[in-house]
Structures are given as C-alpha cells and as structure tokens.
Amino acid sequence: MNQYLLIRTVTDDSIEWVSGDRSAIAEWEYGTTNGVAYHKVHRQTQLAFSQVNEQGEWGNWYWATDATNGMSYQSGPDTVVRGQFSQNGKLANSGDTSFRAVSSNWPVFGFSSDLGPVGSSPVSMLFSLGLTQDEAVQFAGSSDYGPLPSLWKSYFDTELDALSFFHHDYSTSSSVATAFDNRVATDSIATAGQDYLTITSLSARQAFGATQLCGTQDHMYLFLKEISSNGNMNTVDVVFPAYPIFLYTNPEFLKLVLDPLYENQEAGNYPNDYAMHDLGSNYPNATGHSDGRDEKMPLEECGNMLIMTLAYAQKSGNNEYLSAHYDLLKQWTSYLVEDALYPANQISTDDFAGSLA
C-alpha cells in the first residue's frame, strides 16, 4: 500500500499590529477581492498622525493570501484559532464578532492551507501584509501646514485595488528586488569582500525601511523616520549617512528626501541662518521648527546639506537644483565661513556624547 504525508500549514496575524496601546479597542473583518482573501484589522477609534510606543494609531492593516479551494480562515482568541488547527488540521471559516481591547483574549486572524501530499515538486504559499493610510504625514511646506496623502492614493481608487495589485505583483516585485540584491552583492564583494556585503545589504534594508513616499505623482516626497532614537523626521545628520544608498539606487530618492527640508525653510518657516536639524520632532509630523529651537547642530547640518545637494546635482546632472536653492546654499556657506573656525557651543551627530565645548 502506498503511504504519503499530507502537509497542512497555518499562519496568523496578531491584533497587536493596530496599536501600541494594548487597551485600545480593535475592529476587524474578513473578505475576498479579485482572488485574494484578506483579514482587515484596525483601531476602532483612530488617532491620525499619532504613535504609541512607536506604533502608528491610524490606518488599516491587511493580512492576505490567495483565495484557493484548499484555504480556510478564522478570527478569534489566539488559543481558540490555533487550537482549532491543532485539533482539526484546518480552520473553521468563521469570524469572531466581539470587538474588544487588543489584550482581551488576544484576537488573531488566521489562514490555513492544505498543501497536499509530500512529493518532489515544491509547493509554496503567498502572504501579503500591509498598512493603508489615506493621509500619512502632516507637513508644513510652501502651502503652510496640511496633511499629505500616501502616494498609493494617486494610483489606486480603493484600498482593495491596492491590495489586489500588491499581492498579484509578487513575481515582478520579487524579480526587481532580486536584481537589486544581486547588484549590491556584486559591487560590495568586488569592493571589499563578503564582510562588506553583510554591512551594505543590511544597511540598504534599514535605510529604505525607515522611509515613506507621500504626496502625488506630480509632487511627491520621501520622508525618513529617525529610528532607534526619538523619531525625528528627515534628520539631516541621519539622512547624511543614508544618502549614499539613495544615490546608488536612484539619485531622485535623495532629491525627494531633501525637497521637504528645502521647502519648509524657503517658505520662511525657520528663523535661524543655519540649516535646520530635522523636519519635525515626532514622526509623522513634519511641521518643522518655526521657533528655531530644534537640536542645535549648525556646523554639521550646514555641511551635510551642502555636500548632499552637490552630490545629487553631480549624480543626476540636474544643475538646476543648485540654482533653485542657491539663496539657502549661499546662506549656509556664509555661516560656515564665519563660524567654523571658532564654533559656538553645539553638539554633533553623536549627541549622546553631549556638547562639543
């Protein structure tokens, strides 16, 4: 008699994604769209442009997979959903309708699939996890203060349209990502060997993982969160060590992260004659420092802005960018000429070390 093993698998998403406040009430739903099955989860009372314990308190999380015949789903307490699969090898195709606090019976949202008998051919499953926010960042720019939409809003009419495209685009996006990884690997090993590749591959992921595209197709921005510290936005001395990977990937990425810094200061929203340290004290609020009381790092930030702006112009061939921002560039250069020899008391990017004086 022929014998074989059936492989069944289960995976779930925890409600903890929706809020850093474990007492916050969450809501959820299950649905399908264009061959994609999804759990949608979110905070019941959303707090736009707010964070708790470094977690965003607004937007909708989607946990999705292919809606195949062998797939089952379930939402409910973690012990119930995981216990259902452990006992039966599949989920119950049912939904928990008791919306509650994140930490109340810890809701989870599961998918299970029957992968069939063990054989020589590989079998795979595809899952997507994503966050949709209609408005992603508050920005004080040339048009004064206002919210900016997430860039995906310019390409899709609904969240489900975006989810469907993202999920079905896996083959293309994976191919593009693999090509980029291969390029980084080839260049890094040729430059300094395998250890250098370890550094560059991790650095690239950290740099891009801290960014978010906002605005519209005609006027987009790239915002960067200062991670592992206090959440400042587009911090100049944090952009500076990241700018080589932006230039390497596409010089326009550097322009997109510099643009909001220029726009805010050229609109007269910053009173000091040196370059601003960051675009806002707490992500995602890029509201600047109209009182001029940002972290004082004038020499370093002036030099950083001059170097990065020139680097962008050289790599992109866009010398008009220098002309467009000439007044600020001249102002910052004059500050360096006048103050660099005998600098005022200030800090450096190693602000944890305290004042330079």
Side-chain angles (χ1 to χ4, degrees):
M1 183 173 69
N2 292 328
Q3 293 183 339
Y4 59 86
L5 293 175
L6 281 175
I7 301 299
R8 294 184 173 93
T9 184
V10 66
T11 183
D12 62 57
D13 172 42
S14 171
I15 197 67
E16 293 163 88
W17 287 94
V18 306
S19 176
D21 177 3
R22 300 311 187 222
S23 66
I25 305 299
E27 289 190 11
W28 52 85
E29 64 183 73
Y30 169 82
T32 60
T33 180
N34 194 24
V36 179
Y38 65 86
H39 292 285
K40 173 184 175 182
V41 298
H42 58 88
R43 181 175 169 140
Q44 189 176 74
T45 301
Q46 303 209 6
L47 306 177
F49 312 118
S50 298
Q51 295 187 112
V52 174
N53 294 323
E54 297 299 314
Q55 286 188 239
E57 299 295 304
W58 82 109
N60 300 316
W61 284 94
Y62 284 90
W63 173 235
T65 191
D66 294 308
T68 60
N69 291 332
M71 184 275 295
S72 58
Y73 71 91
Q74 188 174 348
S75 61
D78 53 356
T79 55
V80 172
V81 174
R82 295 165 189 170
Q84 162 69 25
F85 180 81
S86 178
Q87 295 173 20
N88 302 290
K90 62 181 179 180
L91 298 179
N93 289 329
S94 63
D96 184 337
T97 58
S98 177
F99 302 144
R100 55 189 180 272
V102 170
S103 61
S104 177
N105 290 321
W106 300 102
V108 298
F109 310 90
F111 292 113
S112 71
S113 288
D114 185 341
L115 301 182
V118 173
S120 59
S121 299
V123 179
S124 64
M125 292 183 64
L126 176 63
F127 297 95
S128 292
L129 176 66
L131 173 67
T132 61
Q133 295 168 327
D134 286 350
E135 294 177 338
V137 165
Q138 295 189 102
F139 177 47
S142 59
S143 300
D144 204 10
Y145 159 83
L148 289 176
S150 298
L151 187 60
W152 67 265
K153 294 282 292 181
S154 292
Y155 295 88
F156 302 100
D157 293 331
T158 69
E159 294 180 354
L160 292 183
D161 289 340
L163 170 66
S164 175
F165 175 86
F166 179 81
H167 190 78
H168 291 305
D169 190 55
Y170 172 76
S171 178
T172 298
S173 60
S174 178
S175 176
V176 172
T178 298
F180 179 72
D181 277 345
N182 290 341
R183 177 188 168 202
V184 171
T186 299
D187 292 347
S188 298
I189 290 174
T191 300
Q194 182 63 44
D195 288 346
Y196 186 57
L197 169 60
T198 301
I199 295 172
T200 57
S201 60
L202 292 174
S203 298
R205 284 159 171 78
Q206 184 177 31
F208 282 108
T211 63
Q212 182 167 12
L213 284 164
C214 299
T216 66
Q217 294 182 63
D218 297 326
H219 198 171
M220 66 181 69
Y221 304 91
L222 186 64
F223 290 100
L224 183 147
K225 179 180 180 180
E226 184 176 336
I227 57 177
S228 302
S229 56
N230 60 358
N232 285 176
M233 295 192 66
N234 292 49
T235 309
V236 174
D237 56 289
V238 174
V239 176
F240 188 74
Y243 93 84
I245 191 61
F246 296 148
L247 284 184
Y248 176 84
T249 308
N250 185 334
E252 294 308 305
F253 284 134
L254 178 57
K255 176 182 181 296
L256 293 180
V257 79
L258 293 178
D259 279 350
L261 287 160
Y262 275 115
E263 188 171 325
N264 175 273
Q265 291 170 91
E266 289 170 343
N269 293 322
Y270 186 65
N272 298 322
D273 55 357
Y274 48 78
M276 186 164 56
H277 170 263
D278 62 81
L279 197 51
S281 298
N282 292 280
Y283 195 94
N285 298 291
T287 49
H289 297 277
S290 58
D291 59 2
R293 298 177 65 182
D294 52 327
E295 199 166 338
K296 193 171 183 181
M297 206 179 294
L299 293 183
E300 187 162 351
E301 307 304 36
C302 285
N304 289 340
M305 288 299 294
L306 291 169
I307 292 169
M308 289 190 291
T309 304
L310 177 61
Y312 165 71
Q314 291 176 330
K315 288 293 185 180
S316 67
N318 181 7
N319 290 328
E320 290 299 317
Y321 199 69
L322 299 176
S323 299
H325 302 300
Y326 177 77
D327 289 344
L328 269 185
L329 293 170
K330 181 179 179 181
Q331 176 180 310
W332 295 335
T333 301
S334 297
Y335 182 88
L336 290 177
V337 170
E338 295 170 5
D339 286 74
L341 187 58
Y342 301 104
N345 186 26
Q346 59 193 272
I347 58 176
S348 73
T349 191
D350 295 328
D351 49 9
F352 53 82
S355 172
L356 298 177

